[in-house]
Amino acid sequence: MNDNCIFCKILKGEIPSAKIYEDEYTYAFLDISGDFYGHTLVIPKQHFENVLDCETTYLNAVINAVQTISNHYVNNCGFSGVNVFNNSGASAEQSVMHLHFHIVPRTSNDGYHVSPTNEGVKVDLSEVKAKLEVK
Ligand code: AMP
Ligand code: ZN
């Protein structure tokens, strides 16, 4: 646990949260922003900054919890899809430095636009592949 981390404080019960799901390794609760109905955050019960440093056991548990909650939203709560995303690093717009995956439950007529809409990025894919391929 990290004393200065608001999500660690949520895990310790020092800050209230609207719990959605919990297991041995993970905890999920509603995002406070109220931007999307049902916007959910899934976090590991141990403090890691993001996907770049998270231990595999916790990272696997978090993504399994994301699947469990997403299936619940689609099978039992009237949604037909989910957006799942994660920001890792300040440059990637991460604002709370405790690993979390976002789930936004969706219906086809909700009017939301969650995916990025950047346009005009002209790239030579073979050049990008030469730089980015994992070898
Ligand atoms: P990110 O920008 O990916 O780091 O996302 C951080 C998210 O945490 C934002 O969507 C915030 O609305 C959310 N958040 C911050 N503080 C709280 C809190 N106390 N309870 C629930 N969600 C929070
Ligand atoms: Zn933390």
Side-chain angles (χ1 to χ4, degrees), residues 41-114:
L41 301 175
V42 187
I43 67 174
K45 284 185 171 174
Q46 188 169 308
H47 181 88
F48 299 99
E49 266 202 5
N50 53 46
V51 297
L52 301 171
D53 70 335
C54 187
E55 280 174 17
T56 312
T57 302
Y58 280 91
L59 190 56
N60 288 345
V62 166
I63 205 68
N64 283 335
V66 166
Q67 185 183 43
T68 297
I69 297 160
S70 298
N71 276 320
H72 171 65
Y73 286 168
V74 169
N75 295 331
N76 306 322
C77 303
F79 298 98
S80 49
V82 290
N83 293 101
V84 173
F85 60 97
N86 161 264
N87 302 324
S88 284
S91 60
E93 302 169 53
Q94 181 178 7
S95 61
V96 178
M97 294 298 162
H98 181 129
L99 171 67
H100 51 282
F101 278 77
H102 299 253
I103 304 174
V104 178
R106 302 294 303 272
T107 57
S108 52
N109 59 352
D110 60 25
Y112 297 154
H113 293 287
V114 176

